[in-house]
Amino acid sequence: MIYLYYDSRTGNVERFINKVVQITGWTALRIQDGLEVQEAGHLITYTTNFGKVPEKTETFMQQQAHLISSVTSSGNRNWGRNFAIAADKISENFDIPTAMKFELSGTLEDINQFIDIIKNQHYDSKRGSEKLDIA
């Protein structure tokens, strides 16, 4: 079973996750205060304030990073170089590979790419996959 841990403020990440779960049957848990993670999984979050990691995501990672195999972030391409940069910051701060970045709630192509990456590439390295840093 693959576990996905996600943070969503405007609903974009939640819509992305709901589509992934509908296709795969994977387990998705929304990050909230007191969430106790027992299983290794993948983080999906958003970028806020033109390039910041959401506070709830940051707190979650400080407590659970040892169980997170990859990070994926949504963003808005209008932010230029700060597009989905939360993934880059989390990757660097917690030494976790970036799986991918997608805009807003993602396209069907984004969803299929995410599923492929998680299913087929995340088992290849120390924490997931060095190959994952394709974003």
Side-chain angles (χ1 to χ4, degrees), residues 1-20:
M1 176 59 67
I2 293 178
Y3 288 84
L4 307 173
Y5 303 102
Y6 73 97
D7 196 0
S8 184
R9 185 185 68 199
T10 64
N12 285 328
V13 172
E14 189 164 44
R15 283 189 291 279
F16 180 87
I17 290 295
N18 288 342
K19 293 171 194 170
V20 169

Side-chain angles (χ1 to χ4, degrees), residues 18-29:
N18 288 342
K19 293 171 194 170
V20 169
V21 168
Q22 183 178 22
I23 293 167
T24 63
W26 295 344
T27 298
L29 299 169

Side-chain angles (χ1 to χ4, degrees), residues 39-53:
E39 302 291 336
H42 303 273
L43 173 67
I44 303 88
T45 191
Y46 60 96
T47 301
T48 191
N49 296 331
F50 299 98
K52 293 185 179 178
V53 175

Side-chain angles (χ1 to χ4, degrees), residues 54-93:
E55 187 175 320
K56 194 179 292 185
T57 299
E58 183 70 31
T59 300
F60 173 80
M61 288 304 294
Q62 288 170 358
Q63 299 166 354
Q64 307 296 338
H66 64 285
L67 290 172
I68 302 302
S69 299
S70 74
V71 59
T72 294
S73 181
S74 74
N76 189 318
R77 292 195 190 280
N78 290 338
W79 295 357
R81 64 182 176 85
N82 287 334
F83 167 68
I85 201 167
D88 299 332
K89 291 179 177 183
I90 291 167
S91 177
E92 183 177 322
N93 291 342

